[in-house]
Amino acid sequence: METVSLRKATIKDKALVVDFDYRLDKVEHIELKREEKITKAIIDKECFIILADNIAVGFVIFDYRFFDQGWIELIIVDEKYRGKGIGGQAIDLICKQSKTKKVFTSTNSSNTQMQKALKKVGFSFAGKITGLDEGDPELFYFKTTDDRKTKN
């Protein structure tokens, strides 16, 4: 895959996006009512289709609800397209279009693949919260979107 791009999802994309999520983890999809979350994100224009060479390969939900900062709520790349740098490129594209100086995201301690991907695209560890998923702490990361914007 050479060219990775994003486009805002429309309601016509709902089945596609729901399918990406459902195929990844059916139980989590149902228990966490992800279809409702996805539908709301599409309606609120916060869901983006990840395209690799113009083929839909995943999606990302991005908003500003985390302390008014850019927040990657969820990113999913179809399993057959993983390990090719597509997720990292999608994250870079989201960060470039962010209206804030920093973008945050989180992942479970058990998701070492995502942790490696975040470090690879320049995210720094921000902290840990226990108690969300029993025995699997949530790890938070952030990235400065433009070094000229901030002097922290």
Side-chain angles (χ1 to χ4, degrees):
M1 298 290 132
E2 278 77 42
T3 305
V4 174
S5 60
L6 301 174
R7 73 165 169 78
K8 281 196 179 167
T10 68
I11 204 66
K12 292 177 183 177
D13 296 310
K14 179 183 168 186
L16 173 71
V17 175
V18 166
D19 187 56
F20 280 130
D21 187 65
Y22 184 79
R23 282 187 286 134
L24 180 69
D25 189 331
K26 296 170 184 66
V27 173
E28 194 170 276
H29 176 82
I30 293 165
E31 286 180 358
L32 298 178
K33 300 181 180 178
R34 290 278 260 286
E35 186 167 350
E36 291 175 26
K37 179 186 286 280
I38 289 166
T39 303
K40 183 177 180 340
I42 290 171
I43 290 167
D44 292 345
K45 300 184 183 333
E46 297 169 345
C47 183
F48 299 82
I49 303 294
I50 301 169
L51 302 164
D53 293 339
N54 292 317
I55 298 167
V57 298
F59 70 97
V60 59
I61 295 177
F62 178 79
D63 60 46
Y64 296 94
R65 290 187 189 96
F66 185 77
F67 298 95
D68 297 322
Q69 298 295 314
W71 172 250
I72 299 170
E73 171 76 21
L74 181 63
I75 181 167
I76 293 183
V77 175
D78 190 282
E79 276 189 295
K80 65 183 172 187
Y81 294 99
R82 289 186 184 172
K84 301 173 191 259
I86 294 169
Q89 289 181 60
I91 290 170
D92 279 342
L93 291 169
I94 281 289
C95 290
K96 285 177 185 170
Q97 62 99 45
S98 177
K99 299 174 197 167
T100 59
K101 295 176 187 174
K102 294 178 184 172
V103 171
F104 288 81
T105 193
S106 71
T107 189
N108 287 98
S109 175
S110 62
N111 191 345
T112 56
Q113 185 177 8
M114 182 63 168
Q115 293 167 46
K116 288 176 189 173
L118 290 170
K119 288 176 186 168
K120 193 172 183 179
V121 294
F123 275 72
S124 299
F125 181 72
K128 171 173 84 170
I129 294 178
T130 59
L132 292 173
D133 293 325
E134 193 62 37
D136 197 5
E138 194 75 12
L139 306 179
F140 287 79
Y141 292 84
F142 77 96
K143 180 178 182 177
T144 303
T145 57
D146 184 344
D147 291 334
R148 297 167 305 198
K149 291 182 191 175
T150 185
K151 299 286 183 202
N152 290 356

